[in-house]
Amino acid sequence: MYAVIKTGGKQYRVAAGEKIKVEQIAADVGQEIVFDQVLAVGNGSEIKVGTPLVSGATVTVTVLAHGRHDKVSIFKMRRRKHYQKRQGHRQNFTELQIASIAA
């Protein structure tokens, strides 16, 4: 069984037992969170697609850790203008363990 959930402005396809990294969520490590923004639920060849959400469907997750992704380097340059700019960015994330999917 799998589900498509929406969090942090993105959509993730999840199944029970998986680990995923999502945009940072304000929650403590070890805390259980219930996502009710479920866009689709599938079980084998059968699929339920919401308009826009599947009513009554929830996904329960456990917060494993918080961290930061690898650095992304940004380099801007204008040729022949003696302009170069270097910048870096590390995005925060929350690692989740999918506990169960209820449809």
Side-chain angles (χ1 to χ4, degrees):
M1 182 175 219
Y2 68 91
V4 178
I5 62 170
K6 178 180 162 188
T7 179
K10 299 181 177 81
Q11 298 175 6
Y12 300 91
R13 183 187 189 273
V14 298
E18 283 185 349
K19 292 181 184 179
I20 59 168
K21 291 181 181 179
V22 299
E23 294 295 318
Q24 189 171 32
I25 297 172
D28 296 327
V29 175
Q31 182 178 347
E32 280 200 350
I33 301 173
V34 176
F35 288 114
D36 57 352
Q37 290 196 333
V38 180
L39 303 171
V41 177
N43 192 0
S45 62
E46 178 185 327
I47 186 167
K48 271 195 263 182
V49 178
T51 56
L53 303 175
V54 177
S55 61
T58 59
V59 176
T60 307
V61 301
T62 305
V63 177
L64 295 179
H66 297 289
R68 300 180 82 186
H69 286 290
D70 294 334
K71 182 178 267 192
V72 176
S73 296
I74 298 111
F75 180 70
K76 296 182 180 181
M77 183 178 137
R78 300 278 187 262
R79 63 183 191 159
R80 300 185 307 268
K81 304 299 180 194
H82 199 67
Y83 170 81
Q84 290 183 355
K85 181 179 180 182
R86 288 183 174 86
Q87 203 172 12
H89 176 74
R90 292 184 71 189
Q91 186 71 24
N92 296 326
F93 70 83
T94 299
E95 189 173 12
L96 303 174
Q97 172 85 39
I98 310 302
S100 64
I101 299 170

